[in-house]
Amino acid sequence: DAKTTQPTSMDCAEGRAANLPCNHSTISGNEYVYWYRQIHSQGPQYIIHGLKNNETNEMASLIITEDRKSSTLILPHATLRDTAVYYCIVREGYGGATNKLIFGTGTLLAVQP
Amino acid sequence: DTGVSQDPRHKITKRGQNVTFRCDPISEHNRLYWYRQTLGQGPEFLTYFQNEAQLEKSRLLSDRFSAERPKGSFSTLEIQRTEQGDSAMYLCASSLTQGLYNEQFFGPGTRLTVL
């Protein structure tokens, strides 16, 4: 699986959009970009994933650059409950592989009141 | 759907003791994963099951660690002769193989402290 690079930490004001970047310059053609987050003392939670098109769900939007070497997770209106560590992961979408998740150290997003 | 549950949530033990953790996945999820997370790090893959078969083990899983999923439902993770370095959060996740994306759902974890 390709490696990802994320900033260690970021701050965001409550109610504003939080934009979390991720670099995955060695991503291969069959690998998807996944985002999970982990609120303190809880297990990771799936947020969103994408291959090459931008994606949106009720939690967030995912913007993937045309060359797929980087992406941005957008939380449109951050709340205090969005304070968490956000992990960007690339892996094959499907297959006989384990589909295990390889986590980095993620980005600690601190939403400020 | 009650989600993935883990028991106990916290365990304190003395070095050299054996401990066992249980994970109950989301019903009908045929894949079950164990991860370990130490302070300040992301979770690290330990092992996974498809139904009752253990199909992959990380090199992190020393011979003191054993995992089972006897009937393809709940799973147990046992650590024998615990060491202080085993102190960590042990996370369980489950998923379905059907469908394209195999999203993993995580439990709340078991926090192990070895004194």
Side-chain angles (χ1 to χ4, degrees), chain B residues 44-56:
Chain B
E44 297 174 293
F45 169 78
L46 291 178
T47 188
Y48 102 101
F49 294 82
Q50 181 155 318
N51 300 312
E52 66 277 7
Q54 188 174 17
L55 297 185
E56 183 173 340

Side-chain angles (χ1 to χ4, degrees), chain A residues 9-71:
Chain A
S9 63
M10 295 181 63
D11 287 345
C12 176
E14 189 176 19
R16 303 296 293 269
N19 298 282
L20 292 91
C22 179
N23 287 322
H24 31 80
S25 58
T26 60
I27 192 170
S28 60
N30 62 343
E31 287 182 318
Y32 287 70
V33 180
Y34 285 76
W35 284 83
Y36 280 73
R37 75 178 183 183
Q38 187 171 25
I39 295 170
H40 183 61
S41 296
Q42 297 183 20
Q45 175 192 24
Y46 166 83
I47 301 173
I48 198 167
H49 72 275
L51 182 62
K52 56 178 117 176
N53 297 321
N54 298 337
E55 302 289 343
T56 295
N57 63 19
E58 65 279 4
M59 290 183 69
S61 295
L62 174 61
I63 310 298
I64 302 174
T65 57
E66 191 170 347
D67 63 8
R68 302 206 326 121
K69 293 185 177 181
S70 65
S71 61

